[in-house]
Amino acid sequence: MASSEKNVIARIQETLQFIKTKTQFKPKIGVILGSGLGAFVQEIQTELILPFEQIPHFMPTTVEGHKGNLIFGKVGEKDIVALQGRNHYYEGHSMDMVVFPTRVMALLGIEVLVLTNSAGGLGDGMQAGDFMVIEDHINLMGANPLMGPNIKEFGPRFPDMTEAYDHKLVAKMETQLKKQNIRYHKGVYGGLSGPTYETPAEVRHLKMIGCSAVGMSTVPESIAANHLGLRVAALSCITNLAAGISKNKLSHVEVTDTAKRVEKDFSEFLKNFVQDI
Ligand code: HPA
């Protein structure tokens, strides 16, 4: 075993051992909450909240709107673990660190990972405040969390990504969004490294290659989760129209303001969706 692999596994073991001294909870579903979408935690009957700072090998979040807690609890009958806030590649973390919490959640026993994010909309008819069910992604980050020696305890060298987003979960998401009468789209998420927003030319390019939304997260976690054999579902909150489509210049304030505006619908959706998994 190469030393870098040993490091990842050893670090995860240390994290798991720490968590086991705090709780015996066995979550079956993991949820990662994106920018400004943390309000869902109010729907969790909380068993334990661990701030990232207290967890060995977790990195504090540096982004406004990302709190940084690992939360164990129940949503209805479902035992879940939620990451309130995430680490991004643009923060300067290695891809290994970006997907570290995903791997920890997998080894805690989750079978399904629900990813959420804020994204810029490229699709026809999109408005700020709409949702988008992610049915596929294009990795444009220029990196992949599985680069380097394969850790065969996690999964195969060349993981299949044909159904990176589980079709049954996509259908369940759509059913729930319709039930709640929420405006939504279904499409392909383009994952870029950021932290700059795109230029209008980049947005035209993304549209041409088949993206309906663009963002700076989700793709690494989805890849790591697929490697680990988890079923993945993902939802974008279209917080703004992408650069050049929007009449305004883009800002993180617009992103978090829109996320705040839809947070009630979003939390209600996630509560119902998680119970339906
Ligand atoms: N581009 C990239 N990431 C984003 C955007 C965007 O327009 N909106 C929210 N996250």
Side-chain angles (χ1 to χ4, degrees), residues 15-248:
T15 305
L16 290 172
Q17 265 156 27
F18 168 82
I19 292 170
K20 278 179 188 147
T21 65
K22 302 282 177 193
T23 182
Q24 296 303 307
F25 203 72
K26 299 255 179 303
K28 286 283 166 256
I29 298 168
V31 180
I32 299 184
L33 298 165
S35 290
L37 300 172
F40 165 71
V41 299
Q42 286 150 23
E43 307 292 346
I44 307 173
Q45 288 166 260
T46 309
E47 170 87 12
L48 176 70
I49 300 181
L50 291 173
F52 286 179
E53 289 85 357
Q54 290 179 13
I55 308 173
H57 309 300
F58 268 49
M59 315 290 285
T61 60
T62 64
V63 188
E64 196 78 25
H66 280 261
K67 269 211 170 106
N69 288 309
L70 184 69
I71 301 171
F72 294 86
K74 274 187 173 298
V75 176
E77 293 299 303
K78 303 286 170 148
D79 293 337
I80 77 155
V81 56
L83 272 194
Q84 186 184 22
R86 58 149 66 86
N87 302 122
H88 301 82
Y89 190 44
Y90 63 72
E91 290 173 84
H93 304 305
S94 65
M95 274 288 178
D96 251 7
M97 289 317 294
V98 172
V99 302
F100 189 84
T102 298
R103 288 172 165 164
V104 167
M105 290 194 289
L107 294 182
L108 282 169
I110 66 162
E111 291 160 2
V112 174
L113 180 64
V114 183
L115 295 163
T116 67
N117 61 52
S118 293
L122 316 164
D124 294 329
M126 280 186 174
Q127 294 174 13
D130 290 354
F131 291 101
M132 188 185 91
V133 178
I134 298 180
E135 58 179 352
D136 207 344
H137 74 223
I138 301 180
N139 178 10
L140 297 162
M141 291 190 159
N144 186 305
L146 307 186
M147 279 165 76
N150 183 49
I151 305 178
K152 54 182 181 309
E153 288 83 349
F154 293 163
R157 170 75 293 187
F158 301 110
D160 175 64
M161 293 289 281
T162 308
E163 199 176 332
Y165 300 88
D166 185 273
H167 293 173
K168 288 202 179 97
L169 295 176
V170 165
K172 276 184 199 281
M173 275 195 166
E174 287 198 85
T175 304
Q176 187 53 43
L177 288 161
K178 280 184 192 141
K179 232 187 240 174
Q180 282 181 236
N181 227 354
I182 291 174
R183 275 180 58 96
Y184 80 93
H185 309 264
K186 193 161 69 166
V188 175
Y189 175 91
L192 273 68
S193 71
T196 48
Y197 290 116
E198 301 67 41
T199 63
E202 285 166 343
V203 167
R204 289 193 296 276
H205 168 81
L206 291 166
K207 215 174 153 152
M208 235 184 286
I209 64 171
C211 297
S212 298
V214 56
M216 307 173 193
S217 68
T218 301
V219 165
E221 293 108 321
S222 171
I223 290 172
N226 274 278
H227 186 222
L228 286 150
L230 305 182
R231 294 164 66 210
V232 176
L235 185 73
S236 292
C237 170
I238 302 299
T239 50
N240 57 281
L241 297 181
I245 302 176
S246 170
K247 288 184 203 73
N248 314 318

Side-chain angles (χ1 to χ4, degrees), residues 1-12 14 96 100 103 147-154:
M1 189 185 281
S3 64
S4 60
E5 292 172 49
K6 216 179 340 186
N7 282 342
V8 174
I9 293 176
R11 278 186 279 128
I12 289 179
E14 280 171 19
D96 251 7
F100 189 84
R103 288 172 165 164
M147 279 165 76
N150 183 49
I151 305 178
K152 54 182 181 309
E153 288 83 349
F154 293 163

